[in-house]
Amino acid sequence: LPWDPSNYLWHNVLCLVFFALFIVTVCSLHFNNIFSCSFSAAGVLLQVKMNVRRHLKNKNTVPKIFAETVARYGDKTALIFEGTGEKWTFRQLDEYSNRVANLLLERGFKDGDVVALFMENRSQYVGLWLGMAKIGVEAALINFNLRLEALVHCVTISNAKAVVFGSELNEAVSEVHSLMGREVQMFCSGDWDPKRVPRGTECLEPLLDNAPSHLPSRPQRCFTDRLFYIYTSGTTGMPKAAIVVHSRYYRMAALVYYGFRMTPDDVLYDCLPLYHSAGNIVGVGQCILHGMTVVIRKKFSASRFWDDCAKYNCTIVQYIGEICRYLLNQPVRDIEQQHRVRMALGNGLRQSIWVEFMERFNIPQIAEFYGATECNCSLGNFDNKVGMSCGFNSQILPFIYPIRLVRVDEETMELIRGPDGVCIPCKPGEPGQLVGRIIQNDPLRRFDGYVNQSATSKKIANSVFKKGDSAYLSGDVLIMDECGHMYFKDRTGDTFRWKGENVSTTEVEGTLSRLLDMKDVVVYGVEVPGAEGKAGMAAIADPTQSTDLAKFVKDMEKALPPYARPVFLRFLPEVNKTGTFKFQKMDLRRDSFDPSAVSDRLYFLDSRRGSYVQLDEELYRSILSGKHKL
Ligand SMILES: *[C@@H]1O[C@H](CO)[C@@H](O)[C@H](O)[C@H]1NC(C)=O
Ligand SMILES: *[C@@H]1O[C@H](CO)[C@@H](O)[C@H](O)[C@H]1NC(C)=O
Ligand SMILES: *[C@@H]1O[C@H](CO)[C@@H](O)[C@H](O)[C@H]1NC(C)=O
Ligand SMILES: *[C@@H]1O[C@H](CO)[C@@H](O)[C@H](O)[C@H]1NC(C)=O
Ligand SMILES: *[C@@H]1O[C@H](CO)[C@@H](O)[C@H](O)[C@H]1NC(C)=O
Ligand SMILES: *[C@@H]1O[C@H](CO)[C@@H](O)[C@H](O)[C@H]1NC(C)=O
């Protein structure tokens, strides 16, 4: 076409070009942030999505991807076990897991069988579940803190045909062996003592030494088949077994890998329990899938943390929940700055200590992400925004990732629906429950749920995005800003109402803990007869009884609005936590503020005097009868 501005076609083309330029300029001036966030987040999601498609098409599985990693990195160190100092190369890990697979094949285990894994500190942990996965046997990863009924429950609901346990747990297994059924085979790994294990138990190591180390023939498993089971922490009731399929394992690990621009040269420090997704998927997954060296420590130690990082040249550390607070609670040492850690990866870093944590420990980037094991609605703070941003969801490209915040009653977590019966999306700044659309034939959008069907159905709601669809309920309340950054607000049912205001226990816990030199503080609401809503109560772990209450009240008045100040205090030597440092509030809530039920010191905030007074039987009765107004 010859150049001629009066030509009709040329005129249209020019108009279009100018219009497009205009739009781009305006947008980049006003929404620079939105654009850059959208494109980087969308890019990561697209990349992971394309990889998932490829693995799906090639019928890949986690063991098959691991085989590629071994071919590439063979003699590189895969895992280092702090404690014994043992190092395994990728080839060693591969051979070990082949032996596990061959042994189980010999013993008649087949595709779809389940084997429970119950160990504390064995370097073989990863090799064991990986070996099982190689022949389609699914591992049930059982929390090694469980005992008695809870332990039996977890083994039973998984339908495990065998239990592999570490010798450090001999007693825990012996206690419950008779309840597990005789057909369950038992294997013990570690220091063998035939007198201390249940009858019929076999010692694992000699069996593995005799098993061939070649790769056994693989069953036809695909990317959407089950890999293993991870149990929910069970802060309310018995643990539930969440199903982890190969694609979920891949996606959880790959999202943080690409999202936070990790490389195979990074060294990751993983001190989280391996029976949870943070430790075993987000952490160990980087080794299995991406060839990264991962340092495993069986138990988090605040005093050894930075020494370990320096010793192993770690560049990424994992944290969860309260770990950062425990680190800040340590005396200042030189080593805490003399390391090569460039990024902290995890979730639950509180707003109140975010900046302090970065500055004191000299960590340039906080990679905060959000995502439950069973949930497909993961988010990540990919752009290192300071503050408790745990993720970013593009508002411009919502079709890429169909998650959203919808209005809920924050106390009961019931969804609030519009006149058409569909959930109401939240406006920026409005707290809402995070939900993810379920599209069962899309591996990124699937929901695999729990082993227990009725528990699965509780996590699914219908008509959320539009009439007739179904969506996964995360149970967590988040807030999104104008730009699409999401901020974690509270966990299910953790908000209570007092004096007509919604009190976020997570926020209050963070603030109080900061005022109390990073002590453990658990906040919950308790019912007081005659009072509307729930009164705040704080359980404070104070083994040395060193709290200065007068100073505490003064600081608290500056930091918290009146409705958020705890009405009752309970001082106790320590608070109960799960293996991932989540507080167990059930017992505390049940004990409430009754001085005859609780032997710990209790205090009551006398609002007229503006100070805490000891709560005795007389005051307790006078509060119950309504004589003493709150
Ligand atoms: C495992 O842990 C137990 C107790 O925590 C300890 O006694 C034992 O030596 C540990 N074994 C190994 C191999 O680390
Ligand atoms: C850490 O890095 C230093 C210097 O590059 C090196 O000498 C040392 O061997 C490394 N340590 C480990 C455990 O890789
Ligand atoms: C508290 O939450 C409820 C429902 O979640 C909401 O209707 C109410 O407006 C909130 N109150 C305040 C003060 O934010
Ligand atoms: C989450 O997972 C469920 C089940 O695997 C799936 O149905 C749903 O579409 C997923 N949601 C998102 C946002 O990926
Ligand atoms: C399954 O879940 C429901 C509801 O959460 C619970 O009542 C039931 O006891 C569970 N069943 C098993 C076998 O755990
Ligand atoms: C902590 O857990 C133990 C064992 O389950 C229980 O006996 C104790 O009452 C709990 N403590 C508190 C303060 O809830």
Side-chain angles (χ1 to χ4, degrees):
L1 196 62
W3 167 248
D4 176 8
S6 63
N7 178 302
Y8 170 74
L9 209 69
W10 270 114
H11 179 79
N12 271 355
V13 168
L14 282 181
C15 276
L16 257 171
V17 167
F18 278 118
F19 184 66
L21 276 177
F22 172 74
I23 294 285
V24 167
T25 315
V26 169
C27 288
S28 60
L29 285 178
H30 285 268
F31 308 106
N32 188 356
N33 201 3
I34 304 187
F35 265 113
S36 65
C37 296
S38 292
F39 287 125
S40 64
V44 169
L45 286 169
L46 280 176
Q47 163 128 48
V48 173
K49 209 169 174 155
M50 269 156 44
N51 289 357
V52 168
R53 290 264 140 84
R54 178 167 55 83
H55 291 311
L56 201 63
K57 205 174 109 229
N58 299 346
K59 289 208 161 50
N60 271 354
T61 57
V62 167
K64 280 195 203 169
I65 301 173
F66 176 66
E68 289 167 24
T69 312
V70 175
R72 216 156 142 192
Y73 297 104
D75 292 321
K76 182 180 166 184
T77 304
L79 297 170
I80 301 177
F81 304 94
E82 171 50 43
T84 59
E86 234 175 303
K87 287 183 184 181
W88 287 26
T89 64
F90 283 91
R91 206 178 308 285
Q92 281 172 312
L93 180 58
D94 190 39
E95 276 176 15
Y96 181 84
S97 52
N98 286 345
R99 288 178 194 275
V100 172
N102 284 315
L103 171 66
L104 291 178
L105 272 184
E106 249 168 54
R107 291 304 178 97
F109 288 83
K110 57 183 191 310
D111 199 14
D113 285 345
V114 178
V115 172
L117 203 49
F118 184 57
M119 342 186 113
E120 193 169 334
N121 52 354
R122 308 243 79 83
S123 38
Q124 295 88 338
Y125 200 91
V126 177
L128 282 166
W129 71 252
L130 187 61
M132 295 176 196
K134 283 187 171 177
I135 54 165
V137 168
E138 297 150 8
L141 308 181
I142 300 198
N143 179 341
F144 56 70
N145 295 303
L146 296 182
R147 296 293 182 271
L148 302 175
E149 303 97 80
L151 175 56
V152 176
H153 170 84
C154 286
V155 175
T156 315
I157 59 170
S158 69
N159 281 321
K161 284 200 167 166
V163 178
V164 178
F165 62 95
S167 56
E168 68 277 9
L169 297 166
N170 277 346
E171 257 160 60
V173 175
S174 301
E175 275 171 357
V176 298
H177 180 236
S178 57
L179 302 172
M180 277 200 271
R182 198 166 310 176
E183 61 281 12
V184 179
Q185 294 186 46
M186 307 295 256
F187 297 97
C188 173
S189 163
D191 304 330
W192 174 245
D193 180 354
K195 285 200 261 339
R196 291 178 56 227
V197 296
R199 221 151 20 112
T201 304
E202 293 176 84
C203 182
L204 187 67
E205 276 74 29
L207 298 176
L208 287 180
D209 290 342
N210 290 328
S213 66
H214 63 78
L215 184 67
S217 68
R218 273 180 271 202
Q220 278 299 315
R221 288 234 136 189
C222 67
F223 212 40
T224 50
D225 281 332
R226 295 176 180 196
L227 174 61
F228 55 55
Y229 302 93
I230 279 184
Y231 291 80
T232 60
S233 55
T235 42
T236 53
M238 284 288 185
K240 289 180 287 194
I243 301 164
V244 177
V245 297
H246 294 260
S247 61
R248 163 119 338 145
Y249 189 94
Y250 178 81
R251 209 202 41 221
M252 277 186 86
L255 268 180
V256 299
Y257 181 81
Y258 293 108
F260 298 118
R261 298 193 181 84
M262 301 179 183
T263 68
D265 295 330
D266 277 315
V267 179
L268 188 141
Y269 183 64
D270 182 353
C271 55
L272 309 177
L274 295 183
Y275 55 78
H276 266 308
S277 50
N280 206 352
I281 306 181
V282 177
V284 170
Q286 308 310 339
C287 158
I288 306 265
L289 305 173
H290 300 119
M292 207 183 277
T293 301
V294 173
V295 181
I296 294 178
R297 191 188 172 95
K298 73 165 181 171
K299 258 190 190 141
F300 163 71
S301 157
S303 57
R304 299 280 316 150
F305 194 89
W306 299 113
D307 301 272
D308 287 349
C309 291
K311 181 170 166 194
Y312 297 108
N313 295 335
C314 297
T315 56
I316 301 174
V317 294
Q318 265 192 293
Y319 66 87
I320 190 164
E322 308 299 321
I323 280 185
C324 305
R325 191 161 54 76
Y326 295 131
L327 291 175
L328 284 173
N329 197 10
Q330 290 287 312
V332 176
R333 293 161 66 217
D334 292 339
I335 191 92
E336 68 189 35
Q337 294 252 346
Q338 296 159 358
H339 51 71
R340 301 189 193 169
V341 176
R342 64 173 181 90
M343 181 160 81
L345 168 72
N347 52 35
L349 180 56
R350 293 184 180 190
Q351 187 97 61
S352 50
I353 56 170
W354 188 294
V355 175
E356 188 185 349
F357 183 76
M358 286 176 88
E359 284 173 359
R360 172 166 163 190
F361 299 122
N362 188 23
I363 298 179
Q365 185 177 2
I366 302 289
E368 171 93 5
F369 66 94
Y370 169 90
T373 313
E374 66 277 23
C375 162
N376 38 355
C377 36
S378 321
L379 299 167
N381 175 22
F382 298 144
D383 50 352
N384 196 22
K385 189 177 158 75
V386 171
M388 199 163 157
S389 169
C390 58
F392 173 78
N393 183 35
S394 162
Q395 289 215 283
I396 295 178
L397 307 164
F399 55 89
I400 292 184
Y401 206 50
I403 60 174
R404 87 169 35 151
L405 302 182
V406 296
R407 281 203 208 157
V408 283
D409 180 318
E410 278 184 57
E411 209 172 351
T412 60
M413 288 308 271
E414 262 169 54
L415 300 170
I416 298 172
R417 292 174 186 273
D420 56 353
V422 175
C423 291
I424 308 167
C426 290
K427 295 193 189 71
E430 209 176 39
Q433 180 174 189
L434 180 69
V435 294
R437 189 150 173 199
I438 299 180
I439 306 166
Q440 208 61 312
N441 54 11
D442 176 342
L444 278 173
R445 302 266 84 81
R446 279 162 52 92
F447 179 52
D448 306 294
Y450 303 101
V451 173
N452 180 342
Q453 277 301 325
S454 93
T456 303
S457 54
K458 275 194 185 167
K459 292 293 264 185
I460 295 181
N462 293 314
S463 300
V464 173
F465 288 76
K466 59 174 199 249
K467 234 181 162 55
D469 68 357
S470 54
Y472 168 87
L473 303 175
S474 70
D476 290 328
V477 175
L478 284 80
I479 298 181
M480 183 165 68
D481 65 12
E482 298 280 347
C483 200
H485 288 106
M486 300 234 190
Y487 299 84
F488 183 79
K489 179 134 184 288
D490 235 323
R491 210 163 289 287
T492 319
D494 251 9
T495 298
F496 61 87
R497 208 158 299 160
W498 184 240
K499 295 190 194 293
E501 299 279 354
N502 300 321
V503 181
S504 154
T505 56
T506 313
E507 272 167 34
V508 178
E509 280 167 4
T511 307
L512 294 186
S513 176
R514 185 165 48 81
L515 298 180
L516 292 167
D517 303 323
M518 305 295 164
K519 289 192 175 72
D520 279 339
V521 178
V522 188
V523 173
Y524 46 99
V526 292
E527 278 172 42
V528 180
E532 186 79 21
K534 284 187 177 156
M537 181 154 185
I540 299 166
D542 186 13
T544 55
Q545 312 207 347
S546 59
T547 307
D548 177 352
L549 271 178
K551 177 172 178 300
F552 173 62
V553 171
K554 268 211 204 98
D555 294 341
M556 186 178 72
E557 280 173 355
K558 277 185 230 142
L560 287 177
Y563 62 85
R565 297 174 194 159
V567 177
F568 300 102
L569 299 182
R570 172 176 176 178
F571 286 94
L572 65 182
E574 67 174 334
V575 294
N576 286 344
K577 281 165 287 202
T578 66
T580 45
F581 306 104
K582 284 186 188 137
F583 296 126
Q584 291 179 316
K585 302 192 181 185
M586 271 224 294
D587 290 343
L588 293 170
R589 255 191 220 117
R590 189 201 53 217
D591 293 346
S592 192
F593 60 101
D594 178 357
S596 63
V598 176
S599 57
D600 303 319
R601 286 173 300 147
L602 294 176
Y603 290 88
F604 167 68
L605 180 61
D606 191 327
S607 47
R608 273 167 298 182
R609 288 201 282 175
S611 64
Y612 281 102
V613 295
Q614 186 120 24
L615 180 69
D616 54 18
E617 287 286 344
E618 194 188 336
L619 182 54
Y620 177 69
R621 273 194 300 273
S622 123
I623 292 170
L624 283 198
S625 65
K627 245 189 282 170
H628 202 118
K629 292 268 176 289
L630 302 189

